[in-house]
Amino acid sequence: MKKGKKGPSLLSNIPCRYHYLLVALLAVLVYSNTLKADFVYDDRPAILTNDDVLGRTPWRSLVTTNDFWGNPIGLEGSHKSYRPLITASFRLQFAVHGLKAELFHGINLICHVINSLLVLKLARQLRIVEEDLSLFSALLFACHPITSEAVCSIVGRADLLNTMFILLALTSHISNANSFRTILLAVFAVLSKETGIILIPLVISYEVLFKNPATKQFRRDVTNYLVSLFIICYIRLSINNFQSPKFSKNDNPIAHESSFVTRTLTFLYLPIFHLKLIVFPKTLSFDWSMDAIPKVESILDSRFILAAIVYSLGLKLLLCLFRDSKTSRNQNLLFLMGLFTAPHILSSNLLTYVGFVAAERILYLNTVAYCILVGFAIEEVRRKFHAHDAKWFPVLILIISLFSLKTLQRVQHWKSEESLFKSALEVNPTKAHMNLGYVFTMQKKYELAKFHYQQALRNKGNLADAWYNLGILTSKSSNSTQEAIHYYQKALQSRSTFAAAHLNLALLLHDSGLHKEAYHHLNECLQNSGENLKSYRNHLRTQATCAYNKGRLLQKSREFQEAIESFKLALKIGGAHFEHISSVLNSIGTCYNEIGDVDSAEKYFEMAISENHVNSYLTMAHLKIRQNRSYEVENLLKRVMSLAPQSVTVLQNIALAEFQMQNYNRSLLFYRKALSVDSNHLESLHGIANLLQETQNYSEAEEYFKKIMDLQSNSYSAYANYGAILHLNQKYDLALKAYDTALLLNPNDDVARENRKKLIRILRRKSNL
């Protein structure tokens, strides 16, 4: 390669041994703030609610049955993304340090630093640019804004590790070819992300460009690569049951476009759109779905004309390079062009539809080749104009500085969900407003949340999730049942299989007295298997919760046998990690107890106790008291006290149990403890008042009955009980007033009326005396 005229420059004068250190420092500098970031966007379903990550499934499920999001990969609705190496890394981190976001982000940052160093190594190995511009290319990659999604989003680790294995394979292959090592790294790349399959074609292209095809070694290596490519593809497709994933219209509206011309023109433009994101990364977004990119509907559209021009120039360049493909320069350029374009082909929608229109994270690997090509372009211009390095140094520093500043800004966007979604309001307003509504709901800023959901619905009126979230929001903020019912109904009009909407609507309808309609929606919730849904695991959790709530409603209606069946269905659907499992077990025990099957009741109470369900300890204690097995109660009460020593409900129930066993002093002690936690706890006030009355401590009992009456000023029974204790304490005038008030509130209170008659007789006898 002919050298350009040299002049002094900082890049040229930096010793080569410091180049790697400089690249690592820049990568750390621009991305260090990711260590302060939280779990955002796709991190939630991939990590925070993924049973594979949280250790709730066997390790083998990561490899044999589940997709990246924790759903069975064989189901129709599965995303079909298979990245067990990434899920395993998440699971290992969770096992070591739990859900500490900064440590998850730290691993991503380390991966990006390694990749930046590998870019420098690859640029040097290809010898297509001078060492100073190899350094520039690596620095450009380290700070390029288009890499921000892959680095800042924890799920972007798939792109980071995929790229790492590909770069490790390419750099080691160039240094010392070894087909076994390359194939092994290709397997690791595919286990990180599907696009890793591109490694083997890249290595084959390197062999064709740089090796002698007449040699036996060449034929043997290429044969090995082709056979391994076929085997890896076959195994990978078999994991999917040879099915393609199905994506919703919101994820990829272009794929659902009925016009073949519009689909074709738009998909031909999308690679140019991605190219623009790399070259001019001014406007970036966490999501380019829905209508963020308008359709290309005519060949006269300027975007299609631009695409045609770029394709024509690219084809012309390739033809020129192929005409003289024997030169080292052209061979390297062809290889870099392949590295730049090939990874994008798999995710371009041109071969098969994918779950997005455009995405920044998929450009991470492409950016490697782009940055080296930029270095080559600067080298060519510098050589053509015989420019000194010193003259180019300010330009290179300016480019690095501008890209670093943009990346620093983008890192701040990715710091929290609120800042991330706000940054996309102009690009993808519908999706941004939707997500901001969720964020503000979690922050309990209900008016702001409602505003953003309404904005999303103004842009797109059939968003089932927006209507559903408005229903939840209305229930929380205004308690307007009818309005919430309306929102849930709108959600079901947009998506009739929306299980969570059926469940919430059913509960509201039941509270409104519409029991038949409520059970209809509960049954609808339980009917859909969910196998065609992307969020299959969440759907199952919702169905289990639905069965649990249906059982509770049946239990309230004293339909105990039907309630038991529904509770058992909840256990079957929810599995071992169902969040309400202990409550379900306790409820089954309660139902069996109500129908007189004490043995079954005790069995389920014991199962609930094994889950440390507090209420089950208490229920079991009361059951054993009724069975005259008081000798077993003390241990149960001790265990429940150790679980919830400051729970007023626990203290009150222990006091009640001691009362039932006629341990009045201990009962009084626990009632006083309960009231020290909550002095207005009605059950405890009733209990201690009755206990004091039972033990003939009428004077003190009167204080508690009065407090109950003060707290329940509209309760006829409170006045009646207060009247009774005044009656016993011979405060007849006050007792008469209390009885009168009780009968005014409830004229049908026969006990109060009878006690009043007795009191009148006493007053008459006294007056006669």
Side-chain angles (χ1 to χ4, degrees), residues 39 42-43 45-48 50 52-55 59 62 68-69 83-99 104-105 107-108 153-158 161:
F39 295 98
D42 284 340
D43 297 341
I47 299 173
L48 300 185
N50 189 338
D52 287 340
V53 173
L54 301 177
W59 274 95
L62 278 65
F68 180 60
W69 308 97
R83 300 161 193 173
L85 208 56
I86 307 303
T87 307
S89 74
F90 293 157
R91 182 163 178 158
L92 281 172
Q93 281 197 259
F94 173 75
V96 172
H97 57 68
L99 294 173
F104 281 92
H105 284 294
I107 297 297
N108 276 29
S153 173
I154 298 172
V155 297
R157 189 176 300 178
L161 276 184

Side-chain angles (χ1 to χ4, degrees), residues 474-489:
T474 303
S475 299
K476 286 182 177 179
S477 60
S478 64
N479 294 318
S480 176
T481 301
Q482 290 306 312
E483 187 180 359
I485 287 174
H486 168 71
Y487 289 139
Y488 289 134
Q489 288 172 335

Side-chain angles (χ1 to χ4, degrees), residues 160-231:
L160 297 172
L161 276 184
N162 171 57
T163 299
M164 185 189 298
F165 289 125
I166 289 174
L167 290 178
L168 283 170
L170 293 178
T171 53
S172 60
H173 184 82
I174 293 171
S175 299
N176 180 23
N178 181 303
S179 58
F180 174 78
R181 180 185 60 216
T182 301
I183 293 168
L184 182 62
L185 286 170
V187 171
F188 288 155
V190 171
L191 293 177
S192 299
K193 192 173 182 179
E194 296 76 6
T195 50
I197 196 64
I198 205 67
L199 170 57
I200 293 178
L202 285 172
V203 172
I204 293 174
S205 69
Y206 185 87
E207 291 287 295
V208 171
L209 287 168
F210 293 97
K211 302 292 179 67
N212 182 1
T215 64
K216 185 177 180 181
Q217 181 69 39
F218 173 88
R219 291 194 295 272
R220 182 168 64 246
D221 286 346
V222 170
T223 301
N224 288 339
Y225 292 137
L226 289 172
V227 170
S228 63
L229 178 64
F230 173 79
I231 293 172

Side-chain angles (χ1 to χ4, degrees), residues 492-512:
L492 290 171
Q493 287 174 16
S494 300
R495 193 194 309 161
S496 60
T497 58
F498 200 157
H502 279 298
L503 170 59
N504 287 8
L505 177 58
L507 296 177
L508 288 179
L509 290 171
H510 191 275
D511 289 344
S512 301

Side-chain angles (χ1 to χ4, degrees), residues 204-334:
I204 293 174
S205 69
Y206 185 87
E207 291 287 295
V208 171
L209 287 168
F210 293 97
K211 302 292 179 67
N212 182 1
T215 64
K216 185 177 180 181
Q217 181 69 39
F218 173 88
R219 291 194 295 272
R220 182 168 64 246
D221 286 346
V222 170
T223 301
N224 288 339
Y225 292 137
L226 289 172
V227 170
S228 63
L229 178 64
F230 173 79
I231 293 172
I232 292 172
C233 287
Y234 181 84
I235 293 174
R236 177 63 186 85
L237 291 171
S238 68
I239 290 171
N240 279 12
N241 291 334
F242 298 95
Q243 297 174 346
S244 296
K246 295 181 180 179
F247 300 106
S248 70
K249 188 174 181 179
N250 285 336
D251 290 332
N252 192 344
I254 312 300
H256 292 265
E257 170 61 44
S258 58
S259 168
F260 172 77
V261 173
T262 300
R263 283 202 314 274
T264 303
L265 294 179
T266 305
F267 284 141
L268 286 172
Y269 164 69
L270 289 179
I272 310 306
F273 175 81
H274 282 98
L275 176 62
K276 187 175 79 169
L277 287 178
I278 296 179
V279 179
F280 302 109
K282 180 184 176 183
T283 303
L284 300 175
S285 173
F286 76 98
D287 193 300
W288 292 93
S289 62
M290 296 187 174
D291 300 319
I293 303 174
K295 301 170 187 175
V296 181
E297 299 179 299
S298 167
I299 59 173
L300 299 178
D301 190 307
S302 60
R303 292 172 297 164
F304 177 72
I305 295 172
L306 173 64
I309 293 171
V310 173
Y311 287 135
S312 299
L313 292 174
L315 183 60
K316 183 179 179 180
L317 175 61
L318 285 175
L319 290 174
C320 291
L321 293 174
F322 273 118
R323 285 196 196 103
D324 191 14
S325 60
K326 298 303 180 183
T327 67
S328 174
R329 170 183 174 276
N330 286 4
Q331 288 170 340
N332 281 308
L333 282 175
L334 282 169

Side-chain angles (χ1 to χ4, degrees), residues 331-536:
Q331 288 170 340
N332 281 308
L333 282 175
L334 282 169
F335 177 72
L336 284 170
M337 293 291 286
L339 179 58
F340 182 53
T341 57
H344 186 68
I345 292 173
L346 297 177
S347 54
S348 64
N349 283 287
L350 294 172
L351 296 180
T352 183
Y353 295 141
V354 294
F356 53 84
V357 178
E360 294 160 23
R361 62 186 177 276
I362 67 169
L363 299 175
Y364 188 81
L365 177 57
N366 307 70
T367 308
V368 172
Y370 170 77
C371 291
I372 299 175
L373 287 169
V374 169
F376 169 78
I378 293 173
E379 177 95 345
E380 288 296 296
V381 173
R382 189 170 69 178
R383 183 183 296 112
K384 182 176 181 180
F385 292 100
H386 306 289
H388 294 294
D389 288 354
K391 292 182 179 179
W392 278 94
F393 179 72
V395 176
L396 302 183
I397 293 301
L398 179 62
I399 294 172
I400 296 295
S401 299
L402 290 174
F403 275 46
S404 295
L405 288 172
K406 178 63 180 177
T407 301
L408 286 168
Q409 179 193 51
R410 196 65 187 142
V411 169
Q412 286 300 111
H413 291 162
W414 278 93
K415 204 167 182 180
S416 70
E417 290 188 318
E418 182 178 342
S419 57
L420 178 64
F421 301 146
K422 282 182 176 178
S423 71
L425 280 170
E426 292 185 9
V427 177
N428 192 347
T430 305
K431 196 68 174 281
H433 280 301
M434 268 282 296
N435 287 302
L436 281 170
Y438 171 78
V439 168
F440 288 126
T441 300
M442 293 297 101
Q443 295 176 4
K444 297 185 179 179
K445 298 177 181 177
Y446 297 130
E447 288 304 314
L448 265 177
K450 189 172 184 179
F451 166 78
H452 284 289
Y453 284 134
Q454 289 171 340
Q455 289 297 113
L457 289 166
R458 284 193 183 97
N459 294 328
K460 196 173 181 67
N462 63 343
L463 295 172
D465 289 308
W467 288 116
Y468 169 76
N469 288 326
L470 273 175
I472 293 177
L473 191 61
T474 303
S475 299
K476 286 182 177 179
S477 60
S478 64
N479 294 318
S480 176
T481 301
Q482 290 306 312
E483 187 180 359
I485 287 174
H486 168 71
Y487 289 139
Y488 289 134
Q489 288 172 335
K490 292 287 287 184
L492 290 171
Q493 287 174 16
S494 300
R495 193 194 309 161
S496 60
T497 58
F498 200 157
H502 279 298
L503 170 59
N504 287 8
L505 177 58
L507 296 177
L508 288 179
L509 290 171
H510 191 275
D511 289 344
S512 301
L514 301 172
H515 295 174
K516 183 178 179 181
E517 292 86 344
Y519 283 113
H520 165 75
H521 284 285
L522 288 171
N523 292 330
E524 285 292 313
C525 174
L526 292 168
Q527 275 185 354
N528 184 15
S529 66
E531 293 185 358
N532 60 335
L533 300 175
K534 283 195 301 183
S535 53
Y536 175 71

